[in-house]
Amino acid sequence: CVYEGDDRSSPLIRATEPANDALIGFDVSSQNVTIITNELSTCRWDVGNVDYSTMRNSLVCEDGLNSPSSTMGYVCTTEVPTGSSENMFYIRCMDQPWLDAENRSGERNANFESLLYRLRKPEKAIEIDWIEPSREFEVYTEMTTIELMVHTSGGGEWHRCSYSFSGYENMIEMFET
């Protein structure tokens, strides 16, 4: 069933990438952000929780009516500054952007409440605490197995380590992280 009356509901923000409250790189100064709405919208963000009409930054929403670019909905993107250890942004959207061209913008529905979107940085950069084996050694056979262990701290909640015997262009990801 389709309700044939006026659209009175504001857009729903279904997803964000990175996810809300995500941990981002320690030394990044800006982050690309994607949001997905349930209907074609224009979206804005600000560092303060203000009405949609007074938000100072716009997201780029290039999808067309009935042509979402994601299976989850309509995609909007932006780049936000991430200079602090905790970065808070407020996002709101307004539906039916085609009504602006018809001088009917008063019929559009904006979010009454902002999505509080937070990106966090780790307290310190990733560090290698120790590596085993911890000293040089020689192997006198053509083939051998060596257990290489690396202990890290800082950085994010998840680390991936790689190694190489011949330089950065030949890195091999470790089996367990």
Side-chain angles (χ1 to χ4, degrees):
C1 296
V2 176
Y3 177 71
E4 294 185 21
D6 293 336
D7 179 357
R8 294 198 174 124
S9 61
S10 58
L12 298 174
I13 298 174
R14 291 185 168 166
T16 60
E17 179 62 35
N20 197 356
D21 201 32
L23 200 58
I24 58 172
F26 176 77
D27 56 355
V28 296
S29 59
S30 65
Q31 177 70 45
N32 290 326
V33 172
T34 299
I35 67 161
I36 299 175
T37 61
N38 67 324
E39 60 181 310
L40 187 63
S41 305
T42 54
C43 297
R44 295 180 180 173
W45 68 270
D46 208 311
V47 293
N49 190 12
V50 296
D51 287 336
Y52 175 87
S53 61
T54 58
M55 288 186 156
R56 293 177 283 183
N57 306 284
S58 295
L59 284 84
V60 176
C61 305
E62 294 181 340
D63 289 351
L65 186 60
N66 297 322
S67 298
S69 59
S70 167
T71 56
M72 292 181 64
Y74 296 88
V75 174
C76 297
T77 59
T78 192
E79 185 177 3
V80 295
T82 55
S84 304
S85 59
E86 184 172 89
N87 302 276
M88 310 281 269
F89 308 98
Y90 296 88
I91 301 172
R92 293 186 190 215
C93 298
M94 183 180 273
D95 69 0
Q96 306 177 82
W98 62 88
L99 292 178
D100 284 347
E102 301 171 12
N103 292 322
R104 297 171 46 202
S105 59
E107 297 176 35
R108 295 181 67 191
N109 303 297
N111 297 121
F112 289 112
E113 292 183 25
S114 297
L115 167 69
L116 175 55
Y117 184 65
R118 183 172 89 147
L119 297 174
R120 300 176 292 123
K121 289 185 177 185
E123 292 180 20
K124 65 178 192 168
I126 187 172
E127 295 178 351
I128 296 175
D129 297 328
W130 51 262
I131 300 174
E132 289 289 336
S134 60
R135 56 180 167 58
E136 291 186 23
F137 61 93
E138 289 186 33
V139 175
Y140 299 104
T141 60
E142 197 171 307
M143 297 280 293
T144 190
T145 300
I146 299 169
E147 186 174 350
L148 177 63
M149 296 189 311
V150 178
H151 186 269
T152 60
S153 64
E157 297 163 349
W158 184 84
H159 301 160
R160 185 175 73 206
C161 296
S162 300
Y163 68 95
S164 174
F165 296 112
S166 58
Y168 283 109
E169 61 278 351
N170 298 314
M171 296 299 285
I172 301 166
E173 189 170 337
M174 297 179 81
F175 294 119
E176 296 178 28
T177 57

